[in-house]
């Protein structure tokens, strides 16, 4: 037992070291140019440090999940990081985006006309599709909600709340087409998560049996 704990701590130390290297490389080669498009004031050194730490810690937890070394605290932390990044990106609390046009859009297929009028809207559509793909997986890993219905309802409440706050804070439009895209992303994430969760659970159970032997 003691040898197992020591080996687990050693493995986690190696994973942390690898995560630092991978996280810094990811930031320098990818996120450093990407983040300023979606987050305000990224020229601040404090924000860059925070971004690097988030990337490193996220990488660390994901590697632990893949290696079946994750625990509840790490899973909860990953969910909190995910929600924090979502809120910062979608609400832009320190941004200067102010909408003076129509603030409520009730057409759930409005993104089609947006793409026709402005090709740059395609990138927004893709972002809205992918940002909620991890939601179901993280909900399941933390086991906050036991049933699919509860997970779906919590996601719907969060999505509607984000859109309402965008309208209330005057940083975006309450747009049903965004919520429609959020839902597509959530259900895509649900389908992707099923085999991943089964694989992780199966491998973890096998490791537990080996430990008992």
């Amino acid at each position: 037992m003691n040898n197992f704990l020591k080996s687990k701590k050693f493995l986690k130390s190696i994973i942390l070291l690898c995560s630092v290297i991978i996280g810094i490389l990811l930031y320098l080669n990818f996120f450093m140019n990407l983040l300023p498009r979606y987050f305000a004031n990224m020229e601040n050194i404090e924000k860059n440090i925070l971004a690097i730490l988030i990337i490193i810690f996220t990488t660390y937890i994901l590697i632990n999940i893949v290696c079946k070394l994750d625990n509840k605290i790490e899973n909860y932390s990953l969910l909190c990081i995910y929600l924090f990044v979502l809120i910062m990106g979608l609400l832009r609390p320190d941004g200067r985006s102010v909408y003076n046009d129509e603030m409520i859009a009730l057409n759930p297929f409005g993104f089609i006309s947006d793409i026709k009028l402005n090709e740059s809207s395609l990138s927004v559509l893709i972002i809205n599709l992918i940002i909620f793909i991890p939601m179901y997986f993280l909900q399941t890993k933390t086991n906050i909600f036991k049933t699919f219905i509860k997970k779906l309802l919590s996601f719907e409440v969060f999505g509607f709340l984000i859109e309402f706050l965008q309208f209330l804070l005057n940083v975006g439009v309450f747009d049903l087409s965004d919520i429609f895209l959020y839902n597509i992303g959530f259900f895509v994430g649900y389908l992707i998560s099923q085999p991943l969760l089964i694989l992780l659970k199966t491998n973890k159970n096998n490791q537990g049996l080996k430990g008992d032997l």
Side-chain angles (χ1 to χ4, degrees):
M1 186 65 178
N2 289 332
N3 290 334
F4 172 75
L5 290 175
K6 289 179 180 178
S7 63
K8 188 174 181 179
K9 288 180 180 180
F10 176 75
L11 284 174
K12 286 207 163 196
S13 299
I14 297 298
I15 291 173
L16 179 59
L17 178 60
C18 292
S19 299
V20 172
I21 297 171
I22 294 171
I24 292 174
L25 290 175
L26 282 173
Y27 179 78
L28 294 175
N29 292 286
F30 182 70
F31 287 104
M32 188 168 66
N33 295 322
L34 180 67
L35 292 177
R37 301 180 188 178
Y38 309 107
F39 298 91
N41 303 322
M42 282 305 297
E43 66 276 5
N44 291 350
I45 186 64
E46 294 86 355
K47 282 197 169 186
N48 284 274
I49 293 174
L50 178 61
I52 293 173
L53 291 175
I54 287 174
I55 294 168
I56 290 173
F57 195 49
T58 300
T59 303
Y60 170 75
I61 298 175
L62 289 175
I63 296 177
N64 276 317
I65 290 174
V66 172
C67 296
K68 293 86 185 177
L69 295 171
D70 56 301
N71 55 47
K72 287 185 178 181
I73 294 177
E74 290 169 350
N75 292 330
Y76 276 103
S77 299
L78 185 59
L79 177 61
C80 290
I81 290 173
Y82 169 71
L83 294 177
F84 173 76
V85 173
L86 269 185
I87 291 170
M88 293 296 292
L90 292 173
L91 296 185
R92 298 178 291 278
D94 58 351
R96 297 182 180 179
S97 298
V98 177
Y99 284 72
N100 296 316
D101 299 328
E102 184 180 358
M103 296 295 294
I104 298 177
L106 299 179
N107 180 8
F109 304 104
F111 58 86
I112 298 175
S113 57
D114 289 341
I115 293 173
K116 291 180 180 179
L117 293 173
N118 185 0
E119 292 184 0
S120 64
S121 297
L122 179 61
S123 62
V124 177
L125 181 150
I126 294 173
I127 292 168
N128 287 337
L129 277 173
I130 65 176
I131 56 177
F132 281 99
I133 287 178
M135 177 69 85
Y136 181 84
F137 179 83
L138 294 176
Q139 286 177 318
T140 305
K141 286 296 292 180
T142 53
N143 203 28
I144 297 176
F145 303 106
K146 307 295 183 182
T147 65
F148 173 79
I149 295 298
K150 289 181 179 179
K151 293 170 186 173
L152 177 61
L153 288 175
S154 66
F155 153 73
E156 297 291 355
V157 169
F158 184 81
F160 272 91
L161 183 60
I162 285 291
E163 289 298 308
F164 175 73
L165 287 174
Q166 284 184 342
F167 164 75
L168 188 67
L169 300 173
N170 204 33
V171 296
V173 178
F174 182 90
D175 195 343
L176 283 185
S177 68
D178 286 350
I179 295 175
F180 177 74
L181 294 172
Y182 296 162
N183 273 271
I184 293 177
F186 178 83
F187 281 99
V188 169
Y190 167 75
L191 294 174
I192 294 173
S193 296
Q194 293 308 301
L196 289 176
L197 290 167
I198 292 172
L199 180 63
L200 291 172
K201 185 176 181 180
T202 301
N203 288 339
K204 208 161 190 176
N205 287 339
N206 290 338
Q207 284 185 345
L209 289 173
K210 289 178 182 178
D212 292 338
L213 294 174

